[in-house]
Every structure is written in C-alpha cells, then in structure tokens.
Amino acid sequence: MKNLARYVLSITLSVILVFSAIPSVVVHADDNQALQGAGKHPISKTPEGWYDLREVLLMFLENSFKNKEEVKAEYEKLTRLDGDILLGTDTQHKEIKSVNINDTMNFTGTLKVDVIKKAVGMITPGVGAYAKLEGVSSRFVAEFVIPDGMIYSKILTKDNVKLKNAKDIFEVTDVKVEGQKVTVMMEFVDPALKKANKENKPYIVRDLNNALNKVGCQLEITIPGIKFDKTKVKAGDVLTVKGVLSGNYKMERLVTAHYDPRMKTLRNEYLKDPSKVEKFKNVMPAEYQEYQNQVKNLTKAVGDIQKLADEVKALRDEFNKFVADNREVIDRYLNNDPYDKTLYENYSDEKNFKFPTDEPFKMMTERLYNRYYQHDGHSDMDYGNKAANRPAKAYSLYGEINLLGNNIAKVPKLYKYWSRNISDEQKAKDKPVIDKLEEMSKRATAFGNDEEGRLYELGSREFEARDTIVDIYIDGFALQEILTNPQYGGIKYENASDYSKIFIGWDAVQSEAGRDSVLENDTNADKKAIQLTVKVTDNKTKNPSKITGKKSPRTGDETNLTLYAVGILVALGGTIALTSIKRRKTR
C-alpha cells in the first residue's frame, strides 16, 4: 500500500462477513470499554444485529500499528467530524462574542466533510461501481439549544431553516421546537435513488459515489430569527448556545455485480477500436476524463520505452563495431578464458527494439508489453549451449540489455582476473580498450533491469496506465453498456456476493480551531462539546461590524450564526470508503 489512508479506506466488505460472527467486545482490550467514537445519540447508535463498520476500521488499525496510542490517534483522525457554531463568519476563538441586546441572530452550524470526500476520491469501490444497493437511507439530526434569555422570534419550519452546500442530495424534512430546543431532521434524497425506485432499476454504488461528490466540503444549516428576551437579560450577561450533531448511514442490502463474460468481449472491442468509447464522453465524464489521462500516460510511457530501446540498440551496434575494430586485443583476453573463449553472437532480435508509439493500445491487444520484459512466465533470454550448438537468444528488451551487458563486461573481467600470462607492458598497451569497454559496461548497467532502474520504472509506468485503462473499460464503460443498452438485458446479480445490514453512525465534535473560549479556559470542560458563548451589550456599545464582520444588507443589526450540521453525508461518504476495495493488480 502506498499510504495508510489508502490502506484503511480500502476495506473489503468480505471482512465484515468474516468477523460478523465475532462478538463486538472481542476487538477491545477491556470488555466493558465502548468502541471509540461509538454513537451516543439514539440516531447514531448501531442497531442490534447490524454490522458497525467502525469495528472493521479499528481492527485494521490494530493490525497496522503496534503502539496503542498510534492506533487511537489514527482512528480519531479517520473518524473525526469537526463541527462548529459561528456568529456570522467570525468564531472569535479566544474571545466571548459581543452581541447587541437589540440584534436579531441567525445561528449557523458548520461541519467539515472534505476529509471524507478526499478519502472517497482516493479509491475505487472494491465491491464494484455497479454493486446494487437496497434500503439505502441516511438521516441526520441537528439539535440546537438556546439558553434561557434567548427566544425564537419566528415560527421555524423546514421552509425557513436553510441547508447550504448539500445540493439536491440532502434536504431538511422536519423541524420541531420544544421549549428552548429546536430539532432539525435532514434526510438523503438523492434524485438518482428516487428515479431508480420509480423505474424499478438498480441503485448502484456509482450513483451513491456521484451523490457524495456533489456535496460541498463544508455543510451549513441556518436557524434564523433568534433574539434576546429583554425581560430576562441585561447588558453584561453571558449566555451559551449549545449544539448536538448526529447522524447515520444505513444500507439494508448490497449485492455485487456478478462477473459477466460479456464485459471481456466489450473490453476487447473497445481496445481494438478506441473510438467506440467516445459515446461515454458525456454519460460518464469523470471516467472518460480519467481514461483520456491514462491514454496520455500510456502513450508517453511507450514513447519513453522506445527511446530506451533506441539507446540499447545504439550501444549494441557501437559495441559490435568496437569489437571488430579491436579484434586483436579482444581475442587476446578471450583466449585466456579457461571456460568459454567467445562472446555472445547473433543473439539480438530486431523486434525487441520496436514499440507501438503511434498505436499504444497494441501493447494490450497484441501483448507487446512482453517486449520490454516478460510478464507471462516466459524467459527474457536463453544463454544458449555451445556444446549443443544452441546460441544465446534475447526475447525481450531486458534480454537484450542482459546479454549485451554480459558481452561488454566479459573482456574487462578477463583482463582483471585471467591475464597472468600477459605481460604488464602488453596490458598497459591494451588499457585504453579495456577502459572503453568499462565505460560501455556502465552505460549498459544504467539501462536497468526487470526489478529496478530505468527499464523497471518505465515498465511500471506503462503497466499502471494500461491496467487503469482496462479497469475503466471493465468497471466503467463495459458495465455501463450492459446496464443501459437494451440488447444486453442489464447486469446479472445472480450468484453474486450478498451483504446485509451495514451501518455507520457518528456524533460530531467541536472543531479545535473554533473551540469556544469558555471550553478552552476550563480545564474540566468537555472540549468536544459544540457551543458558542455570547455577551450581551447595550445600544451605547452597539457595534454590528464586530459581530458579523460587515453590515447586514437588511437591517444592519442582524447577525448571522449557522449551525452546520449535515453529517449524514459524511456518514454516507465514510460508508462508501469503508466498504470499498481497490482490486489488487497483478502483472
């Protein structure tokens, strides 16, 4: 794995089934200890009989780190959802906010979801982009409690409690006011899910991923029209507003797309005629763009391999000419070889130096990737057997480099180890030839091999691009055609892997950057509590710009304060990430 984040987020659903029979307490050192980050709010608690994906995450981390503190820190980093309560756009982290007694306030809560969005963007769902989802739901509750001394000056409804950056993926579905507490319910309402249900078509992982990517990196929800109750407060009073943000994501069933041999047929058609994928340009823009990027990468890699091949061939020709021009010196040392008095001859095959720079897809359709080094178990070179009159032969560019390198290095080795019967005077005369051969030997070594160096790096680049293109063809274009083209009759889900009752829930914690000064200065306070403290001022000290940072276009006194709360989406995104695997690539 390239990094831990990718490793952790590439968790396979099969692991859930493996561990589903194990009691959840088994993963904890203390049987009475709750899972870190476990839901406290009723909506975030894992229902009995459902798989908590955080159990799987913690298991992987415990196997990745030996130090318990490292496990704890990484777990919190990957599951922490930061919330905050703002007064306008100013959190005034080190100070209590000053609010004029006549001001009208809009409370705004924020929740950062960019970490989850980035994580999801790093991976390809291992269950397959076309895995079918059933019973998908996601709910989020924002509870906002104003202190005695504040009042709701208007009737709050789902029409005036505003949700921002959720696009059309989540919406406020219910608002309840009970005394000083307002409870806002938000739910997952992806149009793609509604359409799938209406048309009786599968709602797939790709739809879910697309929904997540539409949502902004910071979600916000606004509670409008909060005022001070002048019968209960006076200038100088200090009041604290508190918030609770909790949510979940539930999936009653996931069925993977069963492998269909038609995908291989379609893949081969696209490889032989790449222009056929143009029809996906607007249908699957993200996949199409990634495909175009990888075609560029493949073309560049093949071109660079060709440049290397040209250099190898040039050195081979230079060496052959040098041997012919210095035959007497070369033979003098070859004749001292107690085992073999010849060089490899006629081992080269000109096709080993030719790569399809103008048609890089031939690397796949004609398996020409075996020309830089063998990937299919065959030999890169045959060292031959002179006794059986069987000459050495190269079968790839690596084979050419290997045999050429051995050829060049042979005489310098004989000069050093097997030239006892040659006088020092003669060796001194022969030294310029040996020096030139040693210089050529260094150049041959610099070409690399099938495990390291230049050839390996170029081969890896070609493989990564080629492999990604094949993935896009199979997991993207081919499946899309099977899904939508009537002639194929849709994806086959029979005999596929089936998973049920998958859940993740969470409770947001206070963002460290926006922590209320009261919490910051109280050593006994719960630093994770989401709250905002304000100080009441009178008209003589009224200063709206200090509250909002700018004058309200409506009244000049109105303060904007948001309770940004839609973490359902984060739960949703976290679930996609935790139930995803990048199929392991093999050469």
Side-chain angles (χ1 to χ4, degrees):
M1 297 297 177
K2 293 183 178 179
N3 54 56
L4 178 63
R6 188 181 181 110
Y7 168 68
V8 171
L9 294 172
S10 299
I11 296 177
T12 131
L13 279 174
S14 61
V15 175
I16 299 173
L17 291 185
V18 171
F19 292 106
S20 63
I22 304 176
S24 61
V25 294
V26 171
V27 300
H28 309 302
D30 181 355
D31 286 350
N32 296 316
Q33 177 186 353
L35 178 67
Q36 296 171 352
K40 298 178 181 179
H41 192 282
I43 200 170
S44 62
K45 289 183 179 178
T46 306
E48 185 176 352
W50 288 64
Y51 304 131
D52 186 345
L53 293 177
R54 285 170 305 191
E55 294 276 2
V56 183
L57 173 61
L58 185 58
M59 233 178 256
F60 270 79
L61 288 174
E62 288 173 340
N63 289 328
S64 302
F65 294 94
K66 295 181 180 179
N67 187 297
K68 290 183 179 180
E69 291 303 313
E70 290 180 329
V71 172
K72 181 179 179 181
E74 194 67 24
Y75 180 85
E76 182 175 352
K77 182 190 302 182
L78 294 172
T79 59
R80 180 187 179 102
L81 305 179
D82 288 351
D84 199 2
I85 300 177
L86 307 181
L87 183 59
T89 58
D90 185 5
T91 60
Q92 292 185 327
H93 173 53
K94 297 298 182 182
E95 303 175 26
I96 293 177
K97 284 84 177 155
S98 295
V99 182
N100 188 270
I101 196 169
N102 295 313
D103 283 348
T104 298
M105 297 169 286
N106 295 341
F107 295 102
T108 298
T110 65
L111 188 68
K112 295 182 179 179
V113 296
D114 55 329
V115 172
I116 297 296
K117 290 168 64 67
K118 288 178 182 178
V120 174
M122 291 169 57
I123 60 177
T124 299
V127 295
Y130 291 80
K132 180 172 61 173
L133 306 176
E134 297 178 3
V136 176
S137 66
S138 184
R139 306 178 76 197
F140 177 79
V141 170
E143 294 179 354
F144 185 79
V145 181
I146 58 175
D148 190 31
M150 288 184 183
I151 59 174
Y152 299 106
S153 66
K154 62 172 67 178
I155 297 175
L156 298 177
T157 69
K158 62 181 181 180
D159 295 321
N160 59 21
V161 173
K162 301 299 182 183
L163 178 60
K164 184 180 178 182
N165 295 336
K167 305 299 182 181
D168 57 354
I169 306 303
F170 288 88
E171 68 179 26
V172 174
T173 57
D174 189 34
V175 177
K176 292 181 180 179
V177 178
E178 300 172 296
Q180 299 300 102
K181 181 173 75 172
V182 58
T183 302
V184 181
M185 176 68 72
M186 288 149 287
E187 298 190 55
F188 183 65
V189 291
D190 182 14
L193 176 59
K194 293 181 179 180
K195 182 179 179 182
N197 292 337
K198 182 179 179 180
E199 299 177 358
N200 196 29
K201 292 183 177 180
Y203 182 72
I204 59 178
V205 166
R206 191 189 70 189
D207 296 329
L208 196 58
N209 201 27
N210 289 341
L212 174 65
N213 288 332
K214 287 183 180 180
V215 179
C217 291
Q218 176 164 295
L219 300 179
E220 303 178 357
I221 185 167
T222 302
I223 310 296
I226 312 298
K227 291 185 176 182
F228 290 113
D229 184 344
K230 296 179 184 179
T231 66
K232 296 183 178 181
V233 300
K234 63 183 182 301
D237 286 349
V238 176
L239 304 176
T240 298
V241 180
K242 296 187 176 183
V244 174
L245 313 177
S246 299
N248 67 41
Y249 170 71
K250 299 172 71 174
M251 183 170 56
E252 293 181 359
R253 189 182 182 206
L254 180 150
V255 183
T256 59
H258 186 56
Y259 177 75
D260 191 323
R262 295 174 297 177
M263 291 189 289
K264 183 177 180 180
T265 301
L266 285 169
R267 179 203 68 183
N268 292 341
E269 288 181 12
Y270 298 146
L271 286 173
K272 292 178 180 178
D273 188 359
S275 64
K276 286 188 175 184
V277 304
E278 290 297 312
K279 58 188 169 185
F280 300 108
K281 184 175 183 179
N282 298 320
V283 177
M284 305 178 72
E287 290 84 352
Y288 181 82
Q289 183 58 54
E290 176 64 11
Y291 159 74
Q292 291 285 13
N293 293 339
Q294 295 302 332
V295 170
K296 291 179 181 178
N297 292 341
L298 177 64
T299 303
K300 180 69 166 57
V302 175
D304 289 344
I305 291 172
Q306 181 61 64
K307 291 177 183 177
L308 174 62
D310 292 342
E311 293 180 37
V312 176
K313 184 177 180 181
L315 181 59
R316 179 204 66 179
D317 293 345
E318 180 184 347
F319 172 71
N320 289 341
K321 184 177 186 304
F322 186 79
V323 170
D325 293 343
N326 296 274
R327 193 78 241 185
E328 182 179 350
V329 176
I330 300 294
D331 286 345
R332 188 176 1 265
Y333 293 93
L334 286 177
N335 290 334
N336 276 272
D337 187 344
Y339 306 108
D340 184 359
K341 303 181 184 302
T342 63
L343 296 172
Y344 295 127
E345 296 179 355
N346 302 317
Y347 62 86
S348 278
D349 188 332
E350 294 301 312
K351 74 177 183 180
N352 293 332
F353 300 101
K354 297 177 182 177
F355 294 87
T357 54
D358 295 330
E359 300 178 80
F361 276 77
K362 284 187 177 180
M363 296 294 285
M364 290 176 264
T365 58
E366 299 181 17
R367 298 175 66 85
L368 298 185
Y369 46 79
N370 283 315
R371 281 192 180 172
Y372 57 81
Y373 55 79
Q374 297 289 320
H375 296 73
D376 53 10
H378 290 81
S379 175
D380 288 280
M381 77 286 295
D382 182 350
Y383 290 102
N385 187 322
K386 289 184 173 61
N389 197 28
R390 181 166 59 84
K393 188 70 176 176
Y395 296 103
S396 68
L397 182 58
Y398 169 52
E400 298 283 350
I401 293 172
N402 185 285
L403 292 178
L404 174 61
N406 288 341
N407 249 4
I408 295 173
K410 185 171 185 179
V411 168
K413 288 180 180 178
L414 291 169
Y415 176 87
K416 185 175 182 179
Y417 297 111
W418 297 99
S419 56
R420 300 186 186 94
N421 61 340
I422 299 176
S423 67
D424 291 341
E425 181 181 3
Q426 184 62 56
K427 291 174 68 175
K429 292 180 180 179
D430 295 340
K431 187 66 163 56
V433 173
I434 304 303
D435 288 344
K436 180 61 178 177
L437 289 173
E438 288 182 337
E439 183 268 333
M440 289 185 182
S441 183
K442 291 180 180 179
R443 286 158 59 189
T445 301
F447 292 144
N449 55 45
D450 63 341
E451 293 182 347
E452 60 183 2
R454 189 174 166 193
L455 177 67
Y456 175 76
E457 290 170 2
L458 293 176
S460 296
R461 279 172 46 199
E462 187 278 334
F463 167 76
E464 288 294 334
R466 166 166 48 90
D467 191 69
T468 303
I469 289 171
V470 171
D471 277 354
I472 294 172
Y473 275 8
I474 292 178
D475 297 336
F477 301 152
L479 272 171
Q480 173 69 12
E481 187 143 350
I482 290 175
L483 180 69
T484 59
N485 192 329
Q487 80 177 71
Y488 295 107
I491 296 174
K492 297 178 180 179
Y493 290 99
E494 297 83 1
N495 302 317
S497 298
D498 194 327
Y499 309 94
S500 61
K501 293 186 176 181
I502 299 169
F503 179 92
I504 185 170
W506 45 263
D507 300 295
V509 298
Q510 173 63 54
S511 168
E512 292 183 11
R515 183 172 295 141
D516 187 276
S517 59
V518 173
L519 296 178
E520 184 73 12
N521 299 323
D522 185 350
T523 56
N524 297 319
D526 178 5
K527 299 298 192 293
K528 295 183 179 180
I530 300 174
Q531 68 179 53
L532 171 71
T533 303
V534 299
K535 182 177 182 179
V536 183
T537 63
D538 59 22
N539 285 329
K540 294 180 181 179
T541 59
K542 176 178 173 182
N543 186 359
S545 63
K546 185 175 181 180
I547 301 171
T548 64
K550 60 181 180 180
K551 189 171 182 178
S552 168
R554 192 151 52 115
T555 66
D557 295 336
E558 186 166 343
T559 312
N560 218 345
L561 177 42
T562 22
L563 183 106
Y564 157 55
V566 186
I568 304 181
L569 176 62
V570 177
L572 168 64
T575 302
I576 301 174
L578 295 177
T579 58
S580 301
I581 319 170
K582 174 63 182 172
R583 176 165 54 83
R584 181 178 178 86
K585 296 182 176 68
T586 57
R587 298 182 191 279

